[in-house]
Amino acid sequence: MSEQAAATFDGLGIDDRVRQALDDVGYETPSPIQAATIPPLMAGDDVVGLAQTGTGKTAAFAIPILSRLDASARKPQALVLAPTRELALQVSEAFGKYSAHMPDVKVLPIYGGQSYGVQLSGLRRGAQVIVGTPGRVIDHLDKGTLDISELSYLVLDEADEMLTMGFAEDVERILADTPDTKQVALFSATMPKAIGRLAKQYLKNPTEVSVESKTATAQNITQKYLQVSHQRKLDALTRVLEVETFDGMIVFVRTKQATEELAERLRARGFSAMAINGDLAQAQRERTINQLKSGSIDILVATDVAARGLDVDRISHVVNYDIPHDTESYVHRIGRTGRAGRSGTALLFVSPRERHLLRSIERATRQPLEEIDLPSVDDVNAQRKAKFADSITANLSSEHLDLFRGLVEKYARDNDVAMADIAAALALETRDGGFLMAPDPPKSERRERSERPERAPRGGGDFATYRIAVGRIHKVSPGAIVGAIANEGGLTRGDFGNISIRDDFSLVELPADLDNRTLDSLRDTRIGKHPIDIRRDQGPPRARGGGQYGRRREGGYAKRGAPKVAGRRRA
Ligand code: AMP
């Protein structure tokens, strides 16, 4: 990490309105990449950042840009290039969040697959921050609808991804259209040579920042992870809480707001949970920690800052509900359990996009994490039944039993009702009809629980083969195919299977359930000058051609003569 790394957001020259927005979203301290990047960017220097998604890199460049741009000038001042529509939208939402108190600042995402109308009116209204995918940015430059000749800030986000997706030429063209005076920030998860060359050619004496990871081992802590989408985390946590035997637990989240929200939701589900975050007065924080020590609460929902130095012996479990930004915080977080010679368990929730952070953690701690499945409905219900039986056993030794025994016996005699029925009716008083968890819809559970099979798109489901009308003779590369289709169709790289480039067409495996709107927008997509004319592939004709692709009756594609390729791989 850079020596100038900042421990707080104060004193960095961040615009007050941006600072306010950071408070609103509940960020307590800069993440390591932010601490290292914000100072040089605020000073006007170019930056090369080695940072993956999940490290907080978006705010690392958005905060300085918003702090320094001229909100009164209605022209593009900052351009962020991102490899996919999905990322462009995320980045532009993040800008929106951090500029919530800057009503004059307009942020506009421009990406393939969206109508030009919306983008044109956004550009005419004078957006200062443009977040776009390279292909669509070039389209606007060609049409003369986007003017970046007075740009002050250019960000290349996930630069390695842009290059692998075949956008090298587009990116360089865009760079060439911008003034020499602009400041450039380049972020990349990896640093292949091509990125080094790009940085060398287009960045001026850049400050290089990366998040160093410290090694640490924790032998008495069992480390596990659970793959779960963001939307299902709460459900996953409550299932874990029901099936795991734990004493005290800390659940880590990223923001102050999230501590309060999650603690509240856990309480609503019957768990004794409290929030601690950096906003709490010291006395209040201590009160809460004492409650955890004494066992009057079992679960603390905390931010990193609030849990710093926390030392409570009975913490048997740490749950990383939000994955930490860096491995150092991970090591610090899980060190809250396994205290005083006891053993501990650390569980990490990982969404599919965060898997690379999991790998960094495993590399840094030199310890593989064991994957566990989402506890099933059957597991949860078995626990509920067992706890029900336990509560009966416990109450049987109560001193108040005699009084109620008399009342129940009288009721049974008066009404001629079986004892089991009375017991069941009494159980209903404290537990309603929803005592058992309802079964999952089978498909979604399957998706959530299992690792994505190797030959299936990222979102689950199946691959199908599609045929596009560009091939070897058009000098097309797999990267260019992924780039064009991902951009215009709003897909991500995980949605691509095999790509097989033939002479005048190519076969591409994509999710089988692509809807018609996506296919329509893809049909107009071009690679270079050539329309890709995408269609579901019908396989080689059964005719004599010996497995060769020949002319098709339908649709009129594959008009340029049969290539000399036999057979094809099946998924
Ligand atoms: P990114 O790597 O930019 O995709 O950010 C990952 C996540 O971290 C996003 O959900 C951000 O809202 C969150 N985040 C970014 N900076 C901070 C911070 N300083 N404190 C807490 N959360 C943050």
Side-chain angles (χ1 to χ4, degrees):
M1 213 195 298
S2 140
E3 278 170 28
Q4 317 163 34
T8 76
F9 284 115
D10 296 328
L12 297 176
I14 298 172
D15 183 284
D16 287 345
R17 294 162 299 176
V18 179
R19 190 72 184 76
Q20 178 62 47
L22 296 179
D23 266 349
D24 295 348
V25 292
Y27 297 176
E28 293 184 315
T29 51
S31 72
I33 193 77
Q34 293 161 6
T37 308
I38 295 174
L41 285 181
M42 289 298 296
D45 295 338
D46 285 0
V47 164
V48 173
L50 186 61
Q52 305 161 324
T53 301
T55 52
K57 67 182 163 61
T58 315
F61 59 78
I63 292 170
I65 289 177
L66 288 170
S67 294
R68 298 178 71 223
L69 58 67
D70 175 4
S72 63
R74 304 214 145 272
K75 60 181 185 206
Q77 294 169 48
L79 171 64
V80 181
L81 290 180
T84 60
R85 169 207 296 206
E86 188 193 17
L87 184 65
L89 281 170
Q90 264 175 32
V91 170
S92 100
E93 271 166 29
F95 266 97
K97 222 161 47 176
Y98 307 137
S99 64
H101 297 288
M102 306 174 94
D104 293 337
V105 171
K106 299 276 177 283
V107 182
L108 180 70
I110 57 175
Y111 50 85
Q114 192 195 30
S115 86
Y116 280 90
V118 182
Q119 300 176 1
L120 288 175
S121 59
L123 287 166
R124 271 197 296 270
R125 272 201 302 275
Q128 295 95 341
V129 181
I130 314 286
V131 186
T133 50
R136 199 38 91 93
V137 168
I138 295 258
D139 285 350
H140 280 286
L141 291 177
D142 285 346
K143 287 187 162 67
T145 43
L146 171 64
D147 175 12
I148 52 173
S149 62
E150 290 183 56
L151 208 68
S152 304
Y153 312 97
L154 179 72
V155 179
L156 306 177
D157 196 9
E158 297 194 359
D160 50 352
E161 192 79 352
M162 283 200 277
L163 298 197
T164 34
M165 288 175 73
F167 291 128
E169 258 176 59
D170 289 351
V171 168
E172 294 199 35
R173 215 199 108 193
I174 294 166
L175 277 161
D177 269 18
T178 55
D180 287 341
T181 49
K182 70 187 172 296
Q183 181 183 19
V184 187
L186 181 158
F187 286 89
S188 191
T190 58
M191 280 292 157
K193 285 210 175 71
I195 299 285
R197 273 198 300 278
L198 196 73
K200 198 154 178 228
Q201 191 170 350
Y202 294 100
L203 276 67
K204 292 181 288 296
N205 193 20
T207 305
E208 291 177 17
V209 295
S210 69
V211 187
E212 293 289 331
S213 44
K214 278 208 186 113
T215 314
T217 41
Q219 293 92 349
N220 55 337
I221 302 172
T222 311
Q223 300 180 56
K224 303 176 187 175
Y225 77 91
L226 175 72
Q227 187 162 312
V228 58
S229 64
H230 284 292
Q231 301 87 298
R232 291 204 71 187
K233 278 187 190 177
L234 179 63
D235 175 42
L237 179 60
T238 51
R239 289 188 190 200
V240 167
L241 292 175
E242 290 211 45
V243 302
E244 277 278 313
T245 310
F246 66 94
D247 198 359
M249 178 183 286
I250 302 198
V251 180
F252 281 98
V253 294
R254 275 194 182 130
T255 64
K256 292 181 249 184
Q257 278 80 344
T259 59
E260 305 281 357
E261 270 169 35
L262 186 57
E264 178 62 47
R265 287 181 156 165
L266 291 177
R267 283 196 296 271
R269 284 166 177 72
F271 300 100
S272 62
M274 295 281 276
I276 55 168
N277 58 52
D279 274 357
L280 283 193
Q282 185 57 21
Q284 174 65 40
R285 177 175 183 271
E286 265 163 32
R287 246 197 319 277
T288 309
I289 291 171
N290 283 334
Q291 284 177 300
L292 180 71
K293 276 190 183 148
S294 68
S296 60
I297 56 167
D298 294 325
I299 304 169
L300 267 193
V301 186
T303 53
D304 290 294
V305 170
R308 202 164 281 162
L310 199 121
D311 192 0
V312 178
D313 292 352
R314 71 180 278 265
I315 296 173
S316 59
H317 284 66
V318 166
V319 175
N320 284 282
Y321 189 85
D322 291 333
I323 197 164
H325 287 123
D326 59 304
T327 51
E328 226 173 298
S329 329
Y330 175 79
V331 169
H332 180 267
R333 285 178 176 188
I334 71 166
R336 297 311 97 210
T337 179
R339 315 290 295 181
R342 304 186 187 193
S343 58
T345 301
L347 174 62
L348 175 69
F349 284 180
V350 185
S351 75
R353 271 183 73 85
E354 293 163 345
R355 287 187 70 90
H356 54 260
L357 282 176
L358 167 68
R359 301 285 162 250
S360 313
I361 288 170
E362 288 182 325
R363 268 198 307 277
T365 59
R366 301 216 182 95
Q367 225 174 310
L369 271 61
E370 177 204 340
E371 176 165 18
I372 60 163
D373 280 342
L374 181 71
S376 68
V377 172
D378 285 347
D379 297 339
V380 171
N381 285 339
Q383 276 299 325
R384 290 187 184 177
K385 288 174 192 168
K387 281 181 188 154
F388 179 67
D390 287 348
S391 78
I392 296 177
T393 310
N395 287 337
L396 281 178
S397 54
S398 163
E399 59 192 85
H400 304 297
L401 214 61
D402 286 344
L403 164 67
F404 287 109
R405 187 185 295 112
L407 290 176
V408 169
E409 279 170 352
K410 180 175 185 317
Y411 183 91
R413 273 194 310 275
D414 291 354
N415 297 281
D416 193 20
V417 176
M419 279 297 179
D421 288 340
I422 299 177
L426 290 172
L428 250 183
E429 286 212 349
T430 47
R431 298 169 181 85
D432 62 18
F435 172 62
L436 292 182
M437 188 177 226
D440 269 337
K443 198 170 166 200
S444 69
E445 191 187 33
R446 258 206 316 277
R447 277 189 188 182
E448 200 63 54
R449 292 189 56 181
S450 58
E451 272 263 51
R452 160 167 75 98
E454 234 186 305
R455 305 290 318 125
R458 196 185 327 240
D462 294 318
F463 275 128
T465 305
Y466 294 79
R467 183 184 166 98
I468 59 173
V470 285
R472 205 167 286 130
I473 59 168
H474 307 103
K475 297 201 169 53
V476 67
S477 67
I481 293 176
V482 173
I485 294 180
N487 251 303
E488 296 294 320
L491 303 176
T492 62
R493 282 190 67 197
D495 290 322
F496 288 77
N498 280 336
I499 296 180
S500 170
I501 299 180
R502 311 295 174 88
D503 281 357
D504 66 347
F505 69 96
S506 302
L507 298 172
V508 185
E509 287 183 342
L510 294 169
D513 54 0
L514 283 188
D515 56 30
N516 284 336
R517 259 185 58 198
T518 308
L519 280 173
D520 279 348
S521 58
L522 283 174
R523 238 165 241 139
D524 297 330
T525 301
R526 285 162 190 273
I527 295 181
K529 293 189 202 61
H530 310 285
I532 64 170
D533 194 21
I534 191 165
R535 284 158 202 254
R536 221 16 209 271
D537 182 59
Q538 308 296 327
R542 270 170 293 145
R544 307 146 297 271
Q548 284 192 346
Y549 278 89
R551 271 172 204 280
R552 296 293 161 75
R553 262 173 302 146
E554 85 282 27
Y557 63 110
K559 281 188 190 122
R560 294 182 206 93
K564 299 183 283 302
V565 184
R568 68 190 194 105
R569 257 178 304 161
R570 282 235 166 255

